[in-house]
Amino acid sequence: MTTKDYFYQVQNAIRSRKNLQKLLPDLDEQMSAIGSFEYDKERVQTTPQNARELKVCEYIDIKTKYIEQINRCAKLIIEAEERLNGMSKPEYAEILRLQYMSETRAVYSEIAQIMDYSEDYVRRINTEASREFEEKYL
């Protein structure tokens, strides 16, 4: 596995975690709406208790799976951060973090501007950082 492959997995975990966290409030809202009333002509009838309980259990199972997946993603993200913090030079970690773990993937010119380095230097340091990361962790 290459550094790039590893961080693509981390990027997928970041996106998955973010998307799943967005789904949780909607799921909670759906669970709270389960006991709704059905209005027929001259009477008000609620959903039978068993059907309501089954639906609540179904939503709880879904929510549990979402939370488990969020936790798996978080574990991978934390592992990546810990590995970056273990790099021999802080600029190695910063370049890899900017390139792979930021919300919008930074390109060499943006990294150079952020870190106040030349683009050629960023390319060279990135190669060194990737090599060290692979040797140390992959």
Side-chain angles (χ1 to χ4, degrees), residues 77-134:
I77 296 163
I78 290 167
E79 175 189 80
E81 278 294 339
E82 288 172 348
R83 288 178 173 186
L84 288 173
N85 290 334
M87 300 290 288
S88 66
K89 296 181 181 179
E91 58 264 15
Y92 285 0
E94 187 62 20
I95 285 172
L96 293 175
R97 192 175 284 113
L98 287 169
Q99 187 173 20
Y100 295 113
M101 294 187 67
S102 58
E103 187 137 335
T104 57
R105 186 173 178 221
V107 295
Y108 291 128
S109 59
E110 294 169 332
I111 296 170
Q113 187 175 12
I114 292 168
M115 296 183 74
D116 200 26
Y117 293 151
S118 72
E119 195 172 330
D120 289 336
Y121 184 70
V122 168
R123 286 180 194 278
R124 191 179 83 217
I125 293 297
N126 182 50
T127 302
E128 293 172 12
S130 294
R131 187 176 307 126
E132 179 182 312
F133 193 88
E134 285 176 25

Side-chain angles (χ1 to χ4, degrees), residues 4-92:
K4 190 176 189 178
D5 294 334
Y6 174 78
F7 280 106
Y8 280 145
Q9 289 179 353
V10 174
Q11 284 176 335
N12 286 334
I14 291 169
R15 280 192 295 277
S16 292
R17 185 183 72 165
K18 185 177 179 179
N19 291 335
L20 288 168
Q21 286 173 329
K22 286 179 185 178
L23 294 174
L24 287 176
D26 291 338
L27 193 59
D28 288 339
E29 188 176 317
Q30 290 173 3
M31 283 190 343
S32 67
I34 285 178
S36 63
F37 292 97
E38 295 175 12
Y39 295 95
D40 289 342
K41 291 183 182 180
E42 293 182 4
R43 61 186 176 157
V44 177
Q45 184 176 5
T46 61
T47 308
Q49 193 67 22
N50 283 344
R52 204 176 326 166
E53 288 173 2
L54 290 173
K55 200 68 170 164
V56 168
C57 290
E58 181 182 322
Y59 282 130
I60 289 171
D61 289 344
I62 292 169
K63 185 174 182 177
T64 301
K65 288 177 184 175
Y66 284 179
I67 291 170
E68 288 171 355
Q69 183 63 30
I70 289 168
N71 289 338
R72 279 192 295 275
C73 291
K75 185 178 177 181
L76 181 59
I77 296 163
I78 290 167
E79 175 189 80
E81 278 294 339
E82 288 172 348
R83 288 178 173 186
L84 288 173
N85 290 334
M87 300 290 288
S88 66
K89 296 181 181 179
E91 58 264 15
Y92 285 0

